[in-house]
Amino acid sequence: MDEATKTHIFEPFFTTKELGKGTGLGLATVYGVVKQSGGFIWVESSPGAGTTFEIYLPQVAGKAASAETEEQASSIPRGSETVLIVEDEAGVRELACQFLRAKGYTVLEAEGAKSRWTSFAAIQV
């Protein structure tokens, strides 16, 4: 990119794309995140040769926190009940059933309303 373009790339809503193809918020967002983190961002560019962004962030002292604490893991409810999953899309149904089974539930699967399980559930309710 040329020098004139380079001087504006971090401005909100600045874009070189045609109308309707970009918001001009991407690099402005990156700039904001880097600066709020105490970092620096540099740009090297020349027409026809490409662009390189260098981002430097401060080193963090100490160990990173675990994504899931023991307390959070133990607070996830576990079940012993039987659950009926009615879902016509096989992938969604399989994922939901897999998740519930992993949490201790007994799962009955049905593709739609005309299943033997949905008739059974209607009688039980």
Side-chain angles (χ1 to χ4, degrees):
M1 73 183 93
D2 60 27
E3 286 299 317
T5 301
K6 197 167 113 176
T7 60
H8 297 286
I9 62 171
F10 295 119
E11 295 174 7
F13 308 109
F14 177 79
T15 183
T16 58
K17 296 179 181 175
E18 62 187 68
L19 188 62
K21 295 290 183 181
T23 62
L25 292 174
L27 287 175
T29 301
V30 169
Y31 181 85
V33 169
V34 169
K35 287 301 184 179
Q36 287 176 4
S37 299
F40 300 93
I41 185 167
W42 283 278
V43 181
E44 291 293 326
S45 184
S46 57
T51 301
T52 301
F53 290 88
E54 291 183 45
I55 298 175
Y56 295 90
L57 298 171
Q59 183 174 352
V60 177
K63 188 176 178 181
S66 172
E68 183 178 291
T69 65
E70 218 174 283
E71 181 182 317
Q72 288 173 327
S74 65
S75 68
I76 296 173
R78 300 204 54 87
S80 59
E81 297 84 6
T82 299
V83 178
L84 172 63
I85 298 290
V86 181
E87 172 59 54
D88 62 344
E89 193 166 324
V92 174
R93 185 176 63 253
E94 290 167 13
L95 183 63
C97 291
Q98 182 181 27
F99 176 79
L100 290 168
R101 285 186 182 114
K103 298 297 175 198
Y105 292 93
T106 300
V107 180
L108 305 176
E109 298 179 50
E111 282 185 47
K114 295 192 187 241
S115 163
R116 67 183 179 123
W117 294 121
T118 53
S119 299
F120 175 77
I123 294 168
Q124 296 297 315
V125 176

